[in-house]
Amino acid sequence: MEYVLQMKNISKTFGEVAALHHVNFEVGANEIVGLLGDNGAGKSTLVKLITGYHRPDPGGEIFWKQERVSHLSVSKARDLGIEVVYQERALADLQSLWRNIFMGRELSNRLGVLDQRGMVRETRRLMSTAMGFTSSAVTPESTVGTFSGGERQGVAITRALYFEAELIILDEPTMGLSISETKKCLDFVDGIKQAGKSAIFIDHNIVHVYPVADRIVVLDRGTIAGQFSKGELKFDELIDRLTHLAQTGQLETNHPKER
Amino acid sequence: MASANSTERPISPAKERGKLARLLRKYALQIAIVFVALLLWAFFFWRSPLTWGSYAIYNSLMSTTPYFALMAIPLTLVVVAKEIDLSFGSIMAWGMAAFSLVFIALRETNPQLGVYLGFLACLLAGLFAGWLNGFIVVKLGIPSLVTTIGTQFFWRGVVLVVTDGQGLGMTVVKDTILYNLFVGRFLGVIPMQFLWTIAFGVIVWFFLNHHKFGAHVYLVGDNVDSARLMGVDVERTKIATFAIVGVAAAFAGFVVSEQVLFLWPTLGDGYLLNTLASVFLGGTSVFGGTGTVFGTFVAAFIIAIINPGIVAAGWTAYWTQLIYGFIIVVSVALQSILRKRLI
């Protein structure tokens, strides 16, 4: 399989806390990877390494489409096409919808003067297409602090879509969403697959991850405890194994070498 | 596209009303502050029509309000970015200390050149002091409240050492173009520093509302984590806001010294309260993320009329400080209440 992202021998320590040790992780082209793990398993740290927010400890290597990336920064990761949909906190509550959509990537001329009209117009278009906002109370000038949880997630997801990411990372996107909003969010992950893009779907709710992921990677206490292709394991079996993992710290896997 | 279509279609009055309501809501704070200014002015006018009916009071307001409005306007950026600066008063004097060093060195040979180069040195000194504030806050991670209390004392100390606590006559400035340019009278009536303050306000407003820099200032103040995650250069943005206040403070210091044609080593003392009050009364939130230059501009003049208003009404000027303090506390409290209702 061709990989868009490959991470080899990745470790990350914060002071004396080892958040990740010797992790190998990859995402294939047009593959949806479900990343499962309990709180503190290292999911967020892994994401922050991929997005260039943190750097791996020496020895770790990151490859983007077979090419080694030595100094990954937030802006470089974005240029490569890595986009993250964070939990709620990714929005600036007091700012308007259009300022949030274009956060950090404002349309402007060469002197940095904002193309406000263009951004408002694009936002209005995205609202009726991608976000599915129908309420007339919401305009591109509305402040996002007044939005519901689902609407906010919609804004964050739309933001990623708009900038044509190659690899979209969804960090617990269903947290705090109602059932219908969750459905909408999962539909979006399907949409990523249809569009030929890749995604990492992070959640601790296996019920959400299982139906949309091609492959599921289980992270536990900073290491990869195991991984399964969707075909090789039924939902119930996966649950059993995860329960076992939670109790013993050991995961039975079909890929012993990945331990 | 949608807007182009809507212009062709007849606009229903209900839709028009909705638009008006939205505009009113969007500019509610700005409209409110203008009303506060007008009400206060009307009240003072009623108490003392003689004072407020003559041009002299407006002439004096236009010449002295810029002394702190010039700093309050850029300070708005710092507060929007969720930081604070308390050192600008000392930076006013520090800029002029740099001026005096250059000026004294050239006084015997070429005093006019000394004024021009001194002015340049003054702005550069202010820029450096502002940048240093930003650097300490951002790179060393020290809260700006603490940092700028420290630099406030530090720069005042530097000024006292450099000037040896002595003042400096600046009458030579009168022979240069800088005098008419900054503190002259436009068409013989309007103080130039007032026009500079307006120009400064327009420039800062433009950068805050219509430039990437301003967009980032808002984002940094609103949600610094998300701004960083979305690729906004948080450090550079914050340092820039401090640096701008530094330059503005040095410039304000030059204007004040030019107006009185004397450099006092205590220059800048007494500007802290009214500058901060202008920013907070102007609707800029102490919690970051919101604020307008227009609000600060109008609020500066509200602050400015309080003192003469009280005196002209026949009350003791001791009330002034009480009211400034009261205004700061009330406007910050109001922001806290508004914020809770918004989120």
Side-chain angles (χ1 to χ4, degrees):
Chain A
M1 177 176 245
E2 202 177 309
Y3 294 121
V4 282
L5 176 78
Q6 258 183 304
M7 301 173 82
K8 293 182 182 168
N9 193 25
I10 297 289
S11 300
K12 181 69 190 174
T13 43
F14 298 101
E16 291 181 356
V17 183
L20 291 173
H21 22 169
H22 307 298
V23 166
N24 293 314
F25 179 78
E26 57 281 312
V27 180
N30 197 18
E31 185 186 33
I32 310 290
V33 176
L35 189 57
L36 278 175
D38 234 322
N39 292 332
K43 294 173 303 198
S44 296
T45 307
L46 189 64
V47 169
K48 284 183 172 162
L49 290 169
I50 299 172
T51 56
Y53 191 80
H54 291 316
R55 301 276 163 79
D57 294 345
E61 289 181 315
I62 300 176
F63 295 84
W64 179 255
K65 294 180 173 170
Q66 272 62 258
E67 260 177 68
R68 184 158 178 220
V69 189
S70 47
H71 292 290
L72 197 60
S73 64
V74 173
S75 58
K76 196 164 174 184
R78 282 191 144 184
D79 290 343
L80 292 174
I82 300 173
E83 195 66 44
V84 193
V85 176
Y86 283 98
Q87 298 160 5
E88 291 223 344
R89 66 197 151 87
L91 301 181
D93 281 335
L94 301 170
Q95 311 306 318
S96 63
L97 176 56
W98 69 265
R99 280 186 188 266
N100 270 284
I101 292 277
F102 289 92
M103 190 193 290
R105 269 179 308 205
E106 296 81 7
L107 303 181
S108 66
N109 68 12
R110 243 183 314 143
L111 298 172
V113 179
L114 298 177
D115 176 13
Q116 217 148 311
R117 198 169 295 192
M119 286 189 274
V120 169
R121 193 174 52 226
E122 275 301 287
T123 304
R124 188 170 287 131
R125 186 179 67 76
L126 290 169
M127 278 169 61
S128 55
T129 55
M131 282 182 260
F133 284 3
T134 45
S135 160
S136 64
V138 178
T139 72
E141 295 285 354
S142 305
T143 45
V144 300
T146 59
F147 290 10
S148 74
E151 285 173 330
R152 295 163 62 85
Q153 204 59 263
V155 173
I157 288 171
T158 306
R159 184 164 65 184
L161 259 191
Y162 179 75
F163 291 99
E164 307 224 313
E166 291 266 339
L167 171 64
I168 298 174
I169 301 169
L170 299 129
D171 193 359
E172 312 218 355
T174 58
M175 202 157 87
L177 296 193
S178 70
I179 294 172
S180 64
E181 283 168 347
T182 302
K183 166 99 178 44
K184 210 169 173 182
C185 180
L186 296 180
D187 286 347
F188 166 74
V189 181
D190 265 342
I192 297 175
K193 179 85 178 166
Q194 305 307 326
K197 310 284 173 63
S198 311
I200 302 172
F201 185 162
I202 300 156
D203 219 311
H204 48 232
N205 192 342
I206 177 179
V207 181
H208 295 153
V209 177
Y210 188 81
V212 289
D214 297 315
R215 183 163 54 95
I216 290 172
V217 175
V218 183
L219 209 55
D220 186 59
R221 283 154 244 196
T223 54
I224 291 190
Q227 45 185 312
F228 312 94
S229 296
K230 189 142 98 189
E232 63 185 289
L233 207 61
K234 287 213 183 68
F235 183 64
D236 294 342
E237 290 175 318
L238 180 60
I239 298 239
D240 287 344
R241 291 195 189 187
L242 288 176
T243 313
H244 185 67
L245 169 72
Q247 288 160 352
T248 63
Q250 297 284 319
L251 185 69
E252 306 160 43
T253 106
N254 302 352
H255 298 279
K257 64 173 162 61
E258 293 291 351
R259 277 215 181 165
Chain B
M1 288 168 288
S3 59
N5 286 340
S6 64
T7 51
E8 286 158 26
R9 265 184 265 127
I11 299 162
S12 68
K15 198 173 177 185
E16 193 72 335
R17 249 202 313 277
K19 214 172 187 178
L20 187 69
R22 252 202 305 275
L23 276 178
L24 279 179
R25 209 173 317 134
K26 189 178 170 191
Y27 296 109
L29 270 177
Q30 279 109 307
I31 295 166
I33 193 82
V34 171
F35 269 100
V36 170
L38 289 176
L39 278 176
L40 197 64
W41 174 78
F43 174 75
F44 284 144
F45 199 106
W46 169 60
R47 298 303 306 173
S48 173
L50 211 62
T51 308
W52 295 94
S54 78
Y55 178 71
I57 183 73
Y58 302 103
N59 182 46
S60 110
L61 280 174
M62 282 190 286
S63 36
T64 57
T65 311
Y67 300 162
F68 61 92
L70 280 170
M71 297 184 287
I73 288 166
L75 187 65
T76 308
L77 299 178
V78 172
V79 178
V80 169
K82 214 174 178 174
E83 298 291 350
I84 190 72
D85 187 345
L86 303 177
S87 68
F88 48 81
S90 297
I91 296 179
M92 286 172 91
W94 153 239
M96 286 313 289
F99 169 90
S100 73
L101 283 180
V102 175
F103 176 69
I104 289 171
L106 290 168
R107 185 158 54 181
E108 305 304 323
T109 50
N110 193 341
Q112 287 210 19
L113 183 71
V115 170
Y116 290 119
L117 288 181
F119 176 59
L120 200 66
C122 165
L123 295 185
L124 286 176
L127 181 71
F128 173 74
W131 172 84
L132 187 68
N133 278 338
F135 181 84
I136 294 171
V137 169
V138 165
K139 300 285 183 186
L140 305 182
I142 295 166
S144 49
L145 187 74
V146 179
T147 302
T148 57
I149 286 178
T151 52
Q152 177 192 357
F153 283 104
F154 175 77
W155 290 119
R156 181 65 64 193
V158 171
V159 170
L160 292 175
V161 169
V162 167
T163 62
D164 205 15
Q166 300 293 306
L168 177 71
M170 295 203 5
T171 34
V172 183
V173 176
K174 252 192 145 161
D175 303 330
T176 68
I177 186 179
L178 294 184
Y179 185 80
N180 281 325
L181 191 63
F182 295 142
V183 296
R185 291 289 178 272
F186 182 68
L187 301 176
V189 276
I190 297 172
M192 281 304 286
Q193 60 263 49
F194 177 63
L195 298 181
W196 279 99
T197 308
I198 292 178
F200 204 57
V202 169
I203 292 168
V204 175
W205 164 82
F206 179 81
F207 273 91
L208 184 60
N209 292 59
H210 295 281
H211 194 272
K212 266 189 163 178
F213 169 67
H216 292 176
V217 170
Y218 277 120
L219 293 171
V220 164
D222 194 340
N223 188 340
V224 69
D225 291 328
S226 95
R228 195 172 278 131
L229 290 168
M230 297 306 285
V232 171
D233 194 333
V234 173
E235 307 194 337
R236 204 174 58 187
T237 305
K238 280 193 179 179
I239 290 177
T241 62
F242 281 105
I244 294 167
V245 171
V247 181
F251 180 68
F254 188 79
V255 171
V256 175
S257 309
E258 237 187 347
Q259 179 76 67
V260 298
L261 290 174
F262 197 82
L263 163 57
W264 297 96
T266 53
L267 172 68
D269 276 355
Y271 287 109
L272 185 64
L273 203 56
N274 41 15
T275 310
L276 287 176
S278 305
V279 176
F280 291 133
L281 177 63
T284 300
S285 169
V286 72
F287 304 105
T290 54
T292 61
V293 171
F294 179 79
T296 301
F297 186 88
V298 176
F301 282 88
I302 293 178
I303 297 293
I305 66 172
I306 286 173
N307 193 17
I310 287 170
V311 175
W315 300 315
T316 157
Y318 293 140
W319 281 98
T320 312
Q321 185 142 338
L322 184 150
I323 292 175
Y324 287 171
F326 184 73
I327 284 176
I328 293 185
V329 173
V330 168
S331 34
V332 171
L334 275 178
Q335 287 159 13
S336 173
I337 294 164
L338 275 175
R339 190 178 169 84
K340 282 193 190 114
R341 289 190 53 180
L342 270 176
I343 298 173

